[in-house]
Amino acid sequence: MKDMLNLQEAARAAAQALLPKAGLNKQREISRLIFEICKRDDTAPADISARINAKNFEQAKKELLALRYPISFKTAKRENFYLPKLDLQALPDAEIKREEFYPKNIFIEKEVLNSPLAQRALKLFPKAKTEILEKKTFCGSENYSKRKENLVIIKENFDFVKPCPCTKNCFCCGYNLVNLGFGCAYECSYCFLQQYQNLHAIVLPANIKDFLDKIEKKPLRKGPFPHIRIGSGEFTDSLLFDHITNYSFDIVDFFRGREEYFEFKTKSTNIDNLLKIPAAKNIVVGWSVNPQNVIDDAESLTTPLDARLAAAAKIAAHGYKTAFHFDPVIIHEGWRANYLSVIEKIKNTVPAESIAWISIGTLRFSRELKKCIESRFKSNTILDGEFLLDFDGKMRYPKALRKQVYETLAPALKKAFPGTYVYLCMEEPDLQI
């Protein structure tokens, strides 16, 4: 962490030495480019500035862009390169502590104080300080890393069932979402919640029955699949807190015998509740998967790949369906071999007939999240890739690189799991497989 702060200052000094008469905004762009090149290549800012022969800002920026974006520099438009102010101290560092979730404080809305969830939480965490909220007045910590200290149990009144907020101009798979929680105990460096979540706590609704009632009454979209698909996992991991909520009992019971498919999206192995009850064929447990080196680098506190696949095998043996999400695919040295190895591991661990669907999606994120990632995870490697502002305003790998990923993984998945629906998540229609 300290090395990155030193590198930031050295990059600023190099930019000043290179273009001493340039204005503040121009200096910021130059220092960012020098910083990103040096971080990626493990080199010194002085070495980079010595390679620049330019005498003015435009030429210096052009030469630095060519060094920073060797793949896309010649084809990308200048406005696609995002060069915000470099500020590694904008946010506190992420706290990577592998420990059992145990909140220091429990806040319960008065209306759901006697709910099964609230009473269960009080028994599970007897040492936590408890406060009863008359209204939704909870104010969490300003530090996102402290969110696990606060558990908030509420009655949800509005956000029940909705279409998946597919990015504009992307191919839509027709997914439907229920938001059974807000906040996650994992520390994935690419997670949008660290930039999006302004209530720094774990929030769980106590009125699961209301969610199920809305599913019963609300028209749901279907998409290209033979069945309507509904899932949880947008704002939290679907199963990480299931030993607290027991949501899975109610969900499986509700969907048993119905035509819709329900998916629990997870990176956890918290499947005990699901194994305690008879399986339903339209209940899917979907795991996000990545090579173990990516999990180690970018998915802190999550379970290892082998543990996820072992849990998937248990779920399949019990009679549930499984799913796998190669999302986000993170391009790195050796990515082809590493991701093909994941496919082989799934093939050797999980029965193919249990797999309901498989998605693929490359890493993408908002421009605001870039600054959040580099501030909270100063030594991250995921931002070393070439990310440009793309068709939807998000930062993405160049289209040619994304195409390489899909042309590698999609055929391998279809060969390994013939008959399984394989699709791209939040991608341009002309890249669909």
Side-chain angles (χ1 to χ4, degrees):
M1 303 298 183
K2 190 174 182 179
D3 289 344
M4 290 300 105
L5 293 175
N6 291 337
L7 177 58
Q8 174 180 253
E9 295 310 309
R12 289 171 176 166
Q16 174 66 28
L18 183 64
L19 296 171
K21 295 183 179 180
L24 180 61
N25 290 335
K26 292 179 179 179
Q27 289 276 354
R28 286 175 175 175
E29 290 194 0
I30 296 301
S31 62
R32 170 166 283 282
L33 285 167
I34 292 174
F35 172 85
E36 292 189 11
I37 295 167
C38 291
K39 177 177 175 293
R40 180 195 64 196
D41 299 343
D42 191 22
T43 190
D47 295 337
I48 298 301
S49 57
R51 296 168 60 181
I52 304 303
N53 299 316
K55 302 300 181 182
N56 59 66
F57 167 74
E58 287 299 330
Q59 187 60 35
K61 181 176 178 180
K62 182 177 180 180
E63 292 184 30
L64 288 168
L65 284 172
L67 290 173
R68 175 62 182 92
Y69 299 93
I71 297 173
S72 50
F73 170 70
K74 291 183 179 180
T75 56
K77 297 179 180 179
R78 186 63 66 93
E79 59 265 26
N80 294 135
F81 298 108
Y82 179 55
L83 305 172
K85 177 184 177 182
L86 181 63
D87 184 5
L88 299 187
Q89 294 171 294
L91 294 170
D93 295 340
E95 296 182 4
I96 309 302
K97 298 178 181 178
R98 190 174 288 278
E99 56 190 7
E100 184 178 354
F101 174 69
Y102 198 111
K104 293 182 179 180
N105 308 294
I106 300 177
F107 301 87
I108 306 173
E109 288 188 357
K110 184 176 181 180
E111 194 171 357
V112 294
L113 176 59
N114 295 320
S115 66
L117 174 56
Q119 293 303 307
R120 191 180 308 113
L122 293 175
K123 290 180 181 179
L124 286 172
F125 309 115
K127 296 180 181 179
K129 180 182 177 181
T130 303
E131 181 177 337
I132 310 304
L133 302 177
E134 294 289 338
K135 298 180 180 179
K136 288 181 171 61
T137 55
F138 169 76
C139 295
S141 167
E142 294 183 359
N143 185 349
Y144 177 78
S145 294
K146 301 296 184 182
R147 66 196 180 283
K148 291 178 284 186
E149 296 181 358
N150 302 305
L151 173 61
V152 184
I153 299 175
I154 66 167
K155 179 182 179 182
E156 179 58 60
N157 294 311
F158 304 103
D159 192 15
F160 293 104
V161 187
K162 65 180 183 182
C164 178
C166 188
T167 300
K168 185 178 180 180
N169 298 324
C170 282
F171 172 79
C172 181
C173 70
Y175 206 76
N176 300 276
L177 286 169
V178 291
N179 290 321
L180 294 173
F182 194 52
C184 184
Y186 293 144
E187 277 288 5
C188 299
S189 60
Y190 53 76
C191 182
F192 79 101
L193 287 177
Q194 62 188 316
Q195 175 266 320
Y196 180 84
Q197 185 176 355
N198 55 17
L199 180 63
H200 296 163
I202 304 300
V203 183
L204 299 174
N207 51 324
I208 179 68
K209 301 292 186 183
D210 291 337
F211 282 83
L212 300 177
D213 183 59
K214 293 292 183 180
I215 291 172
E216 182 80 61
K217 297 176 181 178
K218 186 178 180 67
L220 302 172
R221 61 182 180 180
K222 186 175 182 180
F225 288 81
H227 301 282
I228 290 173
R229 298 188 306 153
I230 310 169
S232 60
E234 181 185 19
F235 294 135
T236 187
D237 185 288
S238 294
L239 292 177
L240 180 57
F241 302 115
D242 196 54
H243 62 292
I244 303 171
T245 64
N246 285 349
Y247 289 155
S248 59
F249 292 145
D250 292 307
I251 290 170
V252 174
D253 183 62
F254 175 82
F255 279 96
R256 192 184 306 278
R258 296 178 66 90
E259 294 184 357
E260 306 96 338
Y261 274 55
F262 186 91
E263 180 183 20
F264 296 96
K265 285 187 176 180
T266 188
K267 291 187 179 81
S268 81
T269 57
N270 196 12
I271 59 173
D272 288 352
N273 281 350
L274 290 170
L275 299 181
K276 291 176 183 177
I277 55 179
K281 293 292 185 181
N282 58 339
I283 295 294
V284 181
V285 186
W287 274 271
S288 173
V289 290
N290 257 311
Q292 188 58 47
N293 65 300
V294 172
I295 293 173
D296 292 339
D297 289 343
E299 297 181 356
S300 299
L301 308 182
T302 66
T303 55
L305 174 64
D306 288 348
R308 299 180 202 184
L309 299 186
K314 291 180 181 179
I315 282 293
H318 197 70
Y320 295 105
K321 292 291 185 181
T322 62
F324 295 96
H325 301 283
F326 287 74
D327 193 357
V329 171
I330 295 176
I331 298 175
H332 59 280
E333 185 176 355
W335 69 266
R336 286 182 177 84
N338 290 341
Y339 279 101
L340 291 175
S341 176
V342 174
I343 294 173
E344 192 66 20
K345 281 192 171 189
I346 296 173
K347 182 180 177 180
N348 294 334
T349 307
V350 183
E353 61 272 16
S354 78
I355 304 176
W357 50 76
I358 301 173
S359 72
I360 314 171
T362 51
L363 179 61
R364 66 262 178 205
F365 49 89
S366 69
R367 66 181 74 191
E368 293 82 7
L369 186 57
K370 175 177 179 175
K371 295 179 287 185
C372 185
I373 293 171
E374 66 185 8
S375 184
R376 297 191 69 242
F377 298 89
K378 294 180 177 58
S379 299
N380 80 85
T381 59
I382 62 174
L383 294 181
D384 294 343
E386 294 194 23
F387 290 98
L388 306 173
L389 290 171
D390 214 296
F391 68 97
D392 55 354
K394 290 187 177 180
M395 305 202 68
R396 295 175 177 262
Y397 294 115
K399 192 170 184 176
L401 287 183
R402 302 192 329 257
K403 186 176 181 181
Q404 288 181 28
V405 169
Y406 305 141
E407 289 180 345
T408 298
L409 299 189
L413 286 165
K414 291 179 178 180
K415 181 179 179 181
F417 310 106
T420 298
Y421 192 88
V422 179
Y423 66 101
L424 303 188
C425 185
M426 292 196 182
E427 193 48 274
E428 292 182 86
D430 64 344
L431 283 179
Q432 288 302 309
I433 52 180

